[in-house]
Amino acid sequence: MKDQMIGSSVRRVDHEAKVTGRAQYLADMKFPGVCCGKILRSPIAHGRIRGMDASAALRVPGVLAVVTRDDFLNNSRIDPYYGPVFKDQSIVALDKVRFMGDPVAGVAAVTESAAEEALAAIQVDYEELPAVFDVLEARREGAPLVHEIIRVPPHGFEDLAGLRPKESSNICTHFQLTRGDVERGFAESDHVFEDVFTLPDTQHSSLEAHAVVAWVEPGGRIVVWSTTQNPFVIRTQLSNIFRVPVSQVRVLVPYIGGGYGGKLYPKLEPLAVALALKAQRPVRIVLSREEVFLTITKHAAHIRIKTGVKNDGTLWGRECEVLLDTGAYAEIGPRVAKKSGYTAAGPYRIPHVKINSYCMYTHKPPAGAFRGFGVSQSAWACESQMDIIAAALKMDPLELRLKNAYEEGDTFATGETLTNVGLTDCIKRAARAVGWGDRRPRNSSSPLARGKGLACLIKATITPSLSSALVKMNEDGSVNVYTGTIEVGQGSETVLSQIVAEELGLTMEQVRVAPMDTDVVPYDLTTSSSRSTFHMGKAMQLACQDLKGQLRELASQLYKVPKDQVRVEDGKVTIPDASLSYREILCTRFGMSGGNLVGQGVVKTSMLSPTGEKSTSAFWFLGAGAAEVEVDRETGRVRVLKYASAADVGKAIHPLGCRQQLEGAAVTGVGQTFFEQMVFDNGQLINPNFIDYVLPSLLDVPEVIESLMVEVPHPEGPFGAKGIGETGLIPVAPAIANAIYDAVGVRIKDLPITPEKIFMALQAQREGTTLEDR
Amino acid sequence: MKNFEYLEPRSVQEACQLLRQHGEEARIFAGGTSLSIVMKQGFFQPKYLVNIKKIPDLTGIRWDPKRGLTLGALVTHRELETSPLIQETFPILSQIEEDVANIRVRVMGTVGGNLAYAEPLTDLPQILIALEASIRVAGPDGDRTMSLEELFVDYYETSLRPDEILTEVLVPTPPPRTGIEYIRFSSSSVIDKPCLGTAVRFTLEEDLETVRTARVVLGCVAPTPLRARQAEALLEGKRYEVQRVKEAAAFASRECKPVSDLRGSEAYKREMVRVLVTRAAPRAFEKARAFRGQV
Amino acid sequence: MKIEEVFVVKAPIQKVWDFLWNVEEMVQCVPGVEGAEMLDPDNYRVRLKVKVGFISASFAIHMKVTEKHPPRFLRSVCTGEEDRRLSTLKQNNVLELQPLADGSTQVTLKGEVSLFGKLGTLGDSVVRGKARKMMEEFSNNVRTKIEAS
Amino acid sequence: MSRFITLSVNEVSRRVEVEPRETLLEVIRDHLGLTGAKLGCDIQVCGACTLLVSGKPVSSCSFLAVDADGCEVTSIEGLSCNGRLHRLQEAFIETGGLQCGFCTPGFILTAKALLDEQPHPSEEQIKKYMAGNLCRCGCYQEILDAIQKVAGRRAVQNG
């Protein structure tokens, strides 16, 4: 049993409930007395609210409460401002609306139709103001300001402490990273390349829409069921908004139907609680698909990248300007921009680096975390340009990467030392998987052309962060496990159970993960940043070790043997002359058929490594992707024949789960590469539905997807494991773009890579011009 | 969705009477795949839905060597796709149906609804027009027949009068030496609505070289399916030649009137019309030469 | 969404200008206009019914002339709200006239239309196609009316 | 305006009062408490709301409940029998054809309809039939494996 647990694709603990339709998601749950909450949204992109009249809405039969700015202006019991980094969002618009879809009022009614009728009855008088819809416009001198004042909370994230909004501008934050002297770097280079790359706004498109149910108990305790990936952040923010101790806020989370970063930080919770306070009833808000698109997006980006290279391919200097479009509210944009900046130089040793990464406000829906978190933006630029460089130097792109890629002990752009780096292995294995170097002869009469491309990445995890775990042993030796990690589909319940089962020598059936309830489980920062296996997994391991320590202590006391002669292994406690089950120990300890032992484990990462060096990331994600494509030169359509994803996972605790994560990320990457794009017309999103915002289907995925796991164990990770959730997504677009270039010689710099863009570039190529000339 | 009254007539006549009685406040309901979308959005709020699915004479696929193929208005996409009769007589129809929307829409959506709804981004009309299909229409004052081409007027707009019901589609038996090819082109996901669709049909003279009839029907490049008549005229009555196909394709590309939208710019769509006509024509020609009584 | 239409009217520039500057008359050439009322020479109230198949939408539109240089240039802004509050519409128009050598007049119409709210998500191709078609019909009507008078 | 309809849901006859505007999804979830079918996109694209009506997959989000009067409806809850999982359910677990699970009931029901119609589908047939169900977690390869596994097992049994 023991040797089978870690590294074995055991039956996942959530799957039976899911295949039988019995897994409960929030919209499936019944709450007595619940009423329906709906949101009135701004019809304009930017405007001042001159006046508002909700009296007619209150007269609609069945309406229980209407919440507008009047409930918060001059109300000292509620602080309507919130936001994970800056307090720039409010429960409903107070003075201005900042994007088309910005919440202006909320209604709670006994039926959905009454709520809708009430929304229509609210009169709002707007003074329309000029608006900006992209980062370049937003940066222009004299551009309309999204925010005149930005409130900075007194206690923020430690890693973002240095970031402040730039006054009287749309710059939300500016992150700078320099190493060496980039001008010198360029001067010493033989070649300098400069390119601009862009990515559009996209959306997570979890099939489950955001939902919340909130009520306020007599006595003021707030209870919130939410589809959130970080309940403890919600608890803190609600405690700040409604001015109650965190113990008076209880957040519960059922299974989540997909997150991908889209369900982090407050979304509907503040408004739902405000409505519930007023209605004195539980209020449920479930977003429509269109509203989901208006709630959170992935940052569009404009990236200028300039690279100096020596004749032999040595990267010598890189300057990069990243402009990320965070929309109307900062959300977690400042951190996205920071992470984007950190990795804009790519996973390469470059002595001279200068990076400026800006988080910019515009009058669009707020952008936040999305699987790949800023790195999928910067890697699009960096990894595409690598192949531009390789082509110019007539070098093999694989060779160029291997020449410069980080290896064990190299110094990262921040000056810190990189350890446990399986990058070059990932690159080589991904390349090998698509038969790198094998060339098929081209059939010149066919319009189809084949090509291969590569891309690789480095990404940080959120640091510092905190995860705590409790493991409660019952009288029969089975355990309940308490964790703040949310099962969003990534398999955390299973992996954490495996770790506990392994540590305590139990079967999977003896381990049960408790439901997520902030009243019960100890603090965890967030289920994001691919951090749960590493952090929570380790916390679980420590909790088990704590528990084993207690067992050892108890056995020593109860059986009067020296502690050093007690061993806890293979699910048993061994003392000289006897082997005792957990049950026996607990029974002896408590003298009845009941009683618990509780082990605790805490993982706190810091911005300083154990050796006192600066530490940007508790561990690094390293990986690579390789694609083989077939391009139809006459139409520009691309077929991905094969995609190989390689990631340094440290240790694959559940190999099938790792494969699912790598492959799933690759599939999302394919959508982002070829067609996903939110299209705006003067601030209006014109495709907020799955007919016009297209998602990848079974027929769009590469014909073969191979997932390769490189295992370079991390000393801090549980059994050596690192995170994996995001790694697979990041290289997809540049790897495919590079393969397209390899196939037909055109370079697409703006995502998505539509057939039209390829076709037009091919046409320009035939005419002997480049797209820029046209 | 706003509430409405749900009516279930038992005969075509009764259905027409209901439509006449309620005018613009009533709408025919069959598969409901398209109607439900606009109703949910609030774009259209009928007071009455007239469900015609309980009417017995509107179903069924029939084949008669002389008359051709008759499709009841309630025949679903999925029936077209899987019917052995269709696979034997008009395999082109079942082939294209495999790619229409998704399995659930094909199960629910009807041929009659697809045509009478006149949604611009769709596949079936191009093929049926290329095959010179006609439709039967019932009204309170009796039946009439018209060519399918005449049905389409504008986006979502047909020449049906408000109290008329499309009851049947008639596809004539293809003349000997006929071949048809349809290419559905998507510019994003394979399952996206078509960016454009191109049907090319030839009927050859006995020499198997000369084109007697040519049909080039373009979809999604105008408010209605569009016959590229200049392209057809260029091909008809002449020997089939690659060069002439290229010229015809260029004509078709100029004749259509695509709009720039999410699925491609006007310029790109024109180019693709050229490519697709060039690709479809030789396949249609080869099929015509190999004609064995089916298209 | 930008649309542009260029057409030639067989009439001298002044005649074309006079026709177009009679705004109450001119807007009748827009397909679907059900009534126009002058508030003052630069401001008009217009009712417009747009039909796409069995879906129809009625807008109450305010049109404001923001710049004019007779007989060559006219700039106007239209804002409107749909009766069921499903949508709002905003349109910037520029009309330019140019006399041609043969005595006729070339008319260039540039419009930037934004349809906000539910109707804006109806379907990009349909909205664009419909707008373009309305523009075409408008120019046809203008030409026919002037040439017939 | 409301009326009574009779449905056979997972082989149990149910009489429900519905309004014409109510969808089959609303009736199944809200009136009958079967919440396996999910509302995803609301416009027949994603397949999370798939139910089998007379054995065929439909988007219940857009299917009028009145239109289902007299029909046999199968939901995911009707697949497992006496606590024993259906072969497809078992195969999805074995191959890992799901992550968040929101799309899973729809996928399994669609796969069941496919295999009921065509016990030995080719890979191409499976892909075309299943392409209208979306899995945002991206488990397509594993889903394909699961269906092929069941189809293959049947082939062996039948052969």
Side-chain angles (χ1 to χ4, degrees):
Chain A
M1 177 192 72
K2 180 174 159 53
D3 49 355
Q4 284 305 311
M5 192 55 73
I6 298 298
S8 154
S9 300
V10 299
R11 194 177 176 92
R12 268 179 60 164
V13 297
D14 54 332
H15 276 181
E16 189 154 329
K18 287 174 177 176
V19 299
T20 52
R22 286 161 69 178
Q24 294 262 294
Y25 301 82
L26 189 40
D28 303 334
M29 300 170 72
K30 290 237 188 294
F31 297 88
V34 76
C35 62
C36 171
K38 292 264 171 197
I39 303 169
L40 181 71
R41 295 175 180 276
S42 168
I44 59 172
H46 189 199
R48 200 164 296 286
I49 300 175
R50 272 193 296 237
M52 191 174 316
D53 180 4
S55 53
L58 274 168
R59 289 196 296 271
V60 173
V63 169
L64 300 170
V66 178
V67 164
T68 67
R69 62 178 184 165
D70 296 338
D71 294 288
F72 310 114
L73 300 171
N74 309 315
N75 178 354
S76 61
R77 281 168 308 155
I78 298 176
D79 175 4
Y81 293 101
Y82 64 91
V85 183
F86 303 133
K87 285 164 63 168
D88 60 358
Q89 274 177 283
S90 51
I91 299 177
V92 290
L94 298 176
D95 52 345
K96 292 206 301 182
V97 287
R98 297 185 174 85
F99 72 95
M100 227 176 272
D102 208 354
V104 175
V107 168
V110 289
T111 63
E112 193 174 344
S113 49
E116 274 164 6
E117 204 181 317
L119 290 186
I122 300 173
Q123 299 291 332
V124 190
D125 178 21
Y126 297 101
E127 176 198 343
E128 209 170 338
L129 300 169
V132 286
F133 303 117
D134 77 57
V135 286
L136 297 179
E137 274 178 64
R139 190 162 66 157
R140 237 184 31 230
E141 193 71 26
L145 290 183
V146 181
H147 293 270
E148 284 77 16
I149 311 162
I150 295 160
R151 291 162 186 79
V152 181
H155 308 289
F157 288 107
E158 191 187 337
D159 64 319
L160 305 178
L163 298 175
R164 286 288 179 274
K166 190 165 170 237
E167 262 176 53
S168 306
S169 84
N170 287 316
I171 297 174
C172 174
T173 55
H174 172 201
F175 168 76
Q176 197 164 29
L177 177 66
T178 50
R179 180 180 188 205
D181 173 355
V182 82
E183 288 310 325
R184 205 185 104 202
F186 292 145
E188 290 169 5
S189 295
D190 298 311
H191 311 268
V192 178
F193 298 84
E194 187 167 358
D195 299 280
V196 172
F197 296 86
T198 69
L199 302 90
D201 306 79
T202 53
Q203 218 277 330
H204 312 71
S205 303
S206 310
L207 290 194
E208 179 198 35
H210 298 75
V212 63
V213 176
W215 65 90
V216 182
E217 292 177 349
R221 206 255 283 256
I222 294 168
V223 182
V224 174
W225 279 88
S226 171
T227 58
T228 184
Q229 294 176 242
N230 48 13
F232 286 93
V233 172
I234 302 302
R235 186 174 72 159
T236 310
Q237 297 254 337
L238 290 177
S239 133
N240 292 339
I241 294 170
F242 296 99
R243 301 189 191 283
V244 292
V246 288
S247 60
Q248 290 291 80
V249 182
R250 180 181 179 199
V251 182
L252 302 102
V253 186
Y255 280 130
I256 292 196
Y260 324 110
K263 290 173 178 164
L264 289 158
Y265 307 109
K267 293 280 171 288
L268 308 170
E269 298 88 352
L271 179 56
V273 173
L275 278 169
L277 259 175
K278 248 188 139 176
Q280 294 286 299
R281 292 262 294 263
V283 174
R284 181 211 306 266
I285 304 175
V286 180
L287 291 186
S288 70
R289 181 54 55 186
E290 178 174 353
E291 287 180 297
V292 172
F293 277 96
L294 300 174
T295 298
I296 191 73
T297 69
K298 173 178 169 178
H299 289 80
H302 180 280
I303 301 170
R304 194 175 54 77
I305 182 165
K306 186 174 173 188
T307 306
V309 195
K310 301 266 195 192
N311 274 333
D312 68 352
T314 305
L315 301 180
W316 204 248
R318 174 163 282 171
E319 187 179 1
C320 194
E321 182 189 70
V322 183
L323 298 171
L324 289 181
D325 183 347
T326 208
Y329 299 103
E331 240 272 348
I332 197 63
R335 182 181 282 137
V336 178
K338 187 172 178 185
K339 298 289 180 195
S340 201
Y342 269 130
T343 52
Y348 305 112
R349 292 178 298 270
I350 309 178
H352 305 287
V353 173
K354 181 176 172 188
I355 290 159
N356 284 293
S357 180
Y358 297 88
C359 176
M360 302 292 304
Y361 283 122
T362 62
H363 292 101
K364 291 203 303 199
F370 189 110
R371 202 173 192 178
F373 206 81
V375 185
S376 64
Q377 285 94 337
S378 57
W380 165 239
C382 167
E383 287 300 292
S384 292
Q385 202 195 39
M386 283 301 278
D387 278 40
I388 294 178
I389 295 168
L393 299 184
K394 297 196 169 33
M395 241 179 117
D396 179 356
L398 169 62
E399 194 190 318
L400 178 67
R401 283 185 174 79
L402 291 177
K403 187 175 181 70
N404 292 284
Y406 283 132
E407 306 225 43
E408 192 67 25
D410 275 342
T411 308
F412 186 61
T414 54
E416 66 206 81
T417 309
L418 293 171
T419 53
N420 320 296
V421 181
L423 178 62
T424 50
D425 255 9
C426 289
I427 299 174
K428 286 183 211 159
R429 287 189 60 188
R432 198 183 316 138
V434 298
W436 193 263
D438 305 344
R439 295 265 146 205
R440 283 166 219 252
R442 220 194 119 207
N443 176 353
S444 58
S445 68
S446 162
L448 303 177
R450 290 189 174 192
K452 291 171 188 172
L454 262 180
C456 55
L457 74 118
I458 184 163
K459 185 190 174 294
T461 188
I462 178 173
T463 309
S465 80
L466 176 62
S467 287
S468 6
L470 293 179
V471 177
K472 182 178 79 178
M473 183 167 275
N474 302 308
E475 64 270 25
D476 62 352
S478 69
V479 296
N480 292 100
V481 167
Y482 298 82
T483 171
T485 296
I486 308 295
E487 175 64 71
V488 290
Q490 82 282 41
S492 59
E493 278 190 5
T494 305
V495 165
L496 295 177
S497 300
Q498 277 178 284
I499 290 170
V500 170
E502 171 73 27
E503 273 297 324
L504 296 174
L506 299 173
T507 62
M508 287 293 280
E509 290 69 37
Q510 289 173 294
V511 182
R512 182 76 219 172
V513 177
M516 170 59 224
D517 177 347
T518 55
D519 268 15
V520 178
V521 309
Y523 185 86
D524 177 49
L525 180 65
T526 173
T527 299
S528 63
S529 203
S530 315
R531 66 181 286 281
S532 297
T533 300
F534 183 89
H535 295 83
M536 189 56 79
K538 185 68 181 182
M540 278 298 165
Q541 205 178 10
L542 294 175
C544 292
Q545 285 163 7
D546 178 19
L547 197 61
K548 288 202 276 192
Q550 294 178 36
L551 286 163
R552 206 159 27 234
E553 186 83 32
L554 267 180
S556 150
Q557 284 170 18
L558 297 172
Y559 299 93
K560 312 262 182 294
V561 289
K563 242 166 67 176
D564 57 9
Q565 290 183 26
V566 185
R567 293 210 320 272
V568 183
E569 58 187 27
D570 296 341
K572 290 193 177 56
V573 181
T574 347
I575 53 175
D577 318 321
S579 173
L580 305 155
S581 68
Y582 296 152
R583 183 198 294 267
E584 286 173 273
I585 304 270
L586 268 88
C587 195
T588 312
R589 162 71 179 84
F590 296 109
M592 59 177 73
S593 58
N596 301 115
L597 296 177
V598 179
Q600 187 182 358
V602 176
V603 168
K604 163 84 176 78
T605 59
S606 130
M607 290 168 75
L608 288 178
S609 75
T611 59
E613 209 178 47
K614 182 181 161 69
S615 171
T616 305
S617 185
F619 64 94
W620 294 93
F621 305 96
L622 301 149
E628 181 178 17
V629 303
E630 183 177 80
V631 184
D632 183 333
R633 302 178 63 99
E634 290 175 359
T635 62
R637 264 204 81 100
V638 180
R639 209 154 63 99
V640 182
L641 304 171
K642 179 157 191 182
Y643 186 80
S645 192
D648 175 5
V649 303
K651 168 73 192 170
I653 291 178
H654 192 284
L656 176 57
C658 290
R659 186 182 140 200
Q660 287 180 315
Q661 283 288 302
L662 286 176
E663 199 177 291
V667 170
T668 305
V670 166
Q672 305 247 323
T673 303
F674 288 120
F675 38 77
E676 287 187 37
Q677 177 173 26
M678 293 170 68
V679 181
F680 292 90
D681 179 17
N682 277 319
Q684 155 104 7
L685 176 62
I686 61 171
N687 59 342
N689 60 66
F690 288 170
I691 290 180
D692 293 321
Y693 183 96
V694 184
L695 301 179
S697 77
L698 185 48
L699 286 171
D700 298 301
V701 301
E703 284 168 29
V704 182
I705 302 186
E706 201 169 327
S707 300
L708 307 158
M709 282 159 252
V710 171
E711 295 185 327
V712 177
H714 195 289
E716 312 285 322
F719 306 99
K722 301 174 187 170
I724 184 181
E726 299 165 279
T727 314
L729 183 102
I730 295 164
V732 181
I736 290 175
N738 291 338
I740 291 169
Y741 179 84
D742 183 46
V744 293
V746 298
R747 170 64 55 190
I748 307 301
K749 297 178 180 174
D750 306 295
L751 285 180
I753 307 176
T754 59
E756 175 163 354
K757 286 179 191 166
I758 296 175
F759 177 86
M760 294 299 178
L762 280 166
Q763 210 171 42
Q765 183 194 55
R766 279 190 288 268
E767 289 162 10
T769 55
T770 66
L771 275 184
E772 278 92 9
D773 300 333
R774 282 155 76 92
Chain B
M1 236 188 276
K2 283 261 188 314
N3 234 340
F4 50 83
E5 208 164 312
Y6 185 70
L7 307 171
E8 293 181 298
R10 299 287 159 161
S11 72
V12 173
Q13 272 313 305
E14 195 190 336
C16 293
Q17 290 303 340
L18 286 170
L19 291 175
R20 172 164 281 187
Q21 192 184 331
H22 299 302
E24 286 206 337
E25 295 188 324
R27 188 81 193 161
I28 293 183
F29 172 87
T33 51
S34 301
L35 202 56
S36 67
I37 295 177
V38 284
M39 284 173 64
K40 280 184 186 186
Q41 295 274 319
F43 295 147
F44 182 62
Q45 295 166 348
K47 286 219 172 101
Y48 304 91
L49 275 195
V50 182
N51 177 15
I52 57 169
K53 280 196 290 196
K54 299 273 164 76
I55 301 175
D57 0 330
L58 295 179
T59 55
I61 300 171
R62 290 180 295 280
W63 160 255
D64 176 302
K66 287 202 199 76
R67 227 176 138 232
L69 185 70
T70 308
L71 306 171
L74 292 178
V75 167
T76 62
H77 292 284
R78 183 68 177 156
E79 280 177 79
L80 269 194
E81 183 187 349
T82 55
S83 153
L85 188 56
I86 296 289
Q87 284 165 359
E88 201 176 303
T89 53
F90 287 88
I92 182 78
L93 292 175
S94 54
Q95 282 156 22
I96 184 58
E97 284 292 354
E98 283 182 11
D99 299 324
V100 167
N102 60 50
I103 185 70
R104 302 177 306 280
V105 171
R106 296 203 292 277
V107 160
M108 290 302 296
T110 64
V111 170
N114 179 269
L115 301 177
Y117 195 76
E119 131 93 73
L121 303 182
T122 181
D123 299 292
L124 207 48
Q126 287 86 269
I127 303 169
L128 291 175
I129 290 174
L131 293 169
E132 295 176 50
S134 58
I135 52 168
R136 248 185 122 61
V137 175
D141 310 320
D143 286 12
R144 64 185 177 118
T145 303
M146 63 166 135
S147 79
L148 177 58
E149 216 184 322
E150 291 170 66
L151 174 70
F152 301 103
V153 173
D154 200 345
Y155 296 109
Y156 303 104
E157 207 171 317
T158 66
S159 56
L160 294 181
R161 289 191 285 267
D163 52 8
E164 284 185 324
I165 298 175
L166 191 163
T167 55
E168 270 178 2
V169 181
L170 310 160
V171 195
T173 302
R177 300 174 303 280
T178 295
I180 182 167
E181 177 72 10
Y182 180 73
I183 303 180
R184 177 189 208 273
F185 183 74
S186 155
S187 56
S188 66
S189 163
V190 175
I191 60 160
D192 187 20
K193 289 189 178 191
C195 163
L196 53 102
T198 304
V200 176
R201 178 206 133 197
F202 291 125
T203 297
L204 304 178
E205 299 290 358
E206 282 174 20
D207 64 359
L208 292 179
E209 294 290 345
T210 310
V211 176
R212 179 185 293 172
T213 315
R215 286 288 178 276
V216 178
V217 190
L218 310 173
C220 323
V221 287
T224 65
L226 186 87
R227 270 181 63 188
R229 289 175 191 276
Q230 294 175 27
E232 290 174 1
L234 187 73
L235 294 163
E236 277 184 356
K238 303 189 193 78
R239 261 178 75 87
Y240 176 91
E241 279 166 14
V242 174
Q243 191 50 40
R244 194 166 293 122
V245 167
K246 280 191 181 160
E247 285 165 34
F251 268 123
S253 154
R254 283 195 294 273
E255 279 179 84
C256 64
K257 300 171 81 179
V259 286
S260 296
D261 62 14
L262 294 172
R263 291 174 176 82
S265 70
E266 181 186 337
Y268 179 64
K269 288 180 187 174
R270 282 191 194 280
E271 290 292 344
M272 286 312 100
V273 164
R274 196 178 47 71
V275 172
L276 299 191
V277 171
T278 315
R279 285 186 180 184
R283 294 184 211 160
F285 177 69
E286 286 311 318
K287 284 184 182 176
R289 288 165 68 95
F291 182 75
R292 294 278 180 278
Q294 53 164 224
V295 292
Chain C
M1 166 172 58
K2 288 190 174 117
I3 29 180
E4 191 176 325
E5 183 78 19
V6 182
F7 60 99
V8 175
V9 183
K10 291 201 193 78
I13 186 164
Q14 192 59 44
K15 187 177 172 190
V16 177
W17 174 264
D18 289 346
F19 176 84
L20 292 170
W21 181 233
N22 184 351
V23 178
E24 272 172 294
E25 184 79 0
M26 177 265 277
V27 295
Q28 300 296 337
C29 293
V30 178
V33 161
E34 293 183 329
E37 184 195 339
M38 181 167 87
L39 304 174
D40 63 55
D42 287 336
N43 286 284
Y44 301 84
R45 201 172 355 201
V46 181
R47 277 207 68 77
L48 175 72
K49 187 172 181 185
V50 185
K51 237 173 139 281
V52 180
F54 56 92
I55 300 166
S56 61
S58 287
F59 290 87
I61 291 173
H62 174 226
M63 176 176 164
K64 185 183 174 65
V65 175
T66 53
E67 196 182 341
K68 59 174 187 283
H69 307 287
R72 282 172 184 268
F73 185 91
L74 187 68
R75 189 195 296 277
S76 61
V77 180
C78 295
T79 49
E81 187 166 17
E82 202 261 347
D83 291 355
R84 289 166 295 182
R85 296 180 67 187
L86 280 175
S87 269
T88 56
L89 176 141
K90 193 184 263 180
Q91 183 165 353
N92 293 305
N93 302 301
V94 169
L95 190 76
E96 285 172 304
L97 305 187
Q98 200 180 344
L100 299 180
D102 65 353
S104 57
T105 307
Q106 177 179 293
V107 183
T108 306
L109 247 170
K110 287 182 199 157
E112 187 174 359
V113 196
S114 297
L115 192 56
F116 300 117
K118 279 267 178 217
L119 286 172
T121 65
L122 175 63
D124 187 37
S125 52
V126 175
V127 173
R128 281 169 189 270
K130 190 75 196 175
R132 194 172 80 172
K133 213 167 160 188
M134 285 173 70
M135 193 80 122
E136 278 171 19
E137 276 182 47
F138 171 74
S139 42
N140 267 333
N141 292 344
V142 167
R143 196 174 50 226
T144 323
K145 276 204 178 180
I146 298 176
E147 289 175 2
S149 66
Chain D
M1 274 210 277
S2 65
R3 61 165 81 187
F4 282 93
I5 60 167
T6 307
L7 302 169
S8 155
V9 179
N10 302 328
E11 298 177 352
V12 177
S13 178
R14 305 295 299 258
R15 193 156 176 268
V16 203
E17 188 178 2
V18 302
E19 289 188 9
R21 65 165 169 189
E22 283 184 279
T23 64
L24 183 56
L25 181 66
E26 287 165 340
V27 167
I28 284 280
R29 286 175 59 89
D30 303 342
H31 298 232
L32 302 179
L34 298 172
T35 56
K38 313 292 183 199
L39 183 68
C41 66
D42 214 4
I43 45 171
Q44 308 158 60
V45 175
C46 76
C49 69
T50 303
L51 290 173
L52 304 186
V53 173
S54 309
K56 299 196 173 102
V58 302
S59 293
S60 66
C61 73
S62 303
F63 194 114
L64 296 181
V66 283
D67 199 22
D69 191 11
C71 288
E72 272 179 33
V73 178
T74 308
S75 75
I76 190 70
E77 290 87 350
L79 247 62
S80 45
C81 174
N82 299 326
R84 267 195 62 202
L85 297 181
H86 186 275
R87 287 185 302 266
L88 277 162
Q89 292 172 317
E90 197 54 58
F92 269 64
I93 295 178
E94 281 170 30
T95 63
L98 66 148
Q99 292 190 55
C100 82
F102 204 75
C103 68
T104 312
F107 263 103
I108 292 178
L109 284 172
T110 308
K112 178 183 181 324
L114 164 66
L115 296 182
D116 287 348
E117 269 179 48
Q118 164 63 272
H120 313 295
S122 66
E123 184 175 326
E124 196 55 33
Q125 281 172 319
I126 298 175
K127 282 186 174 173
K128 286 212 166 173
Y129 202 97
M130 301 302 300
N133 286 71
L134 300 178
C135 169
R136 187 56 159 169
C137 296
C139 289
Y140 290 125
Q141 191 57 48
E142 291 85 353
I143 289 169
L144 190 62
D145 291 348
I147 299 170
Q148 282 178 320
K149 193 166 183 170
V150 174
R153 189 185 300 162
R154 280 195 186 177
V156 171
Q157 279 170 357
N158 294 354

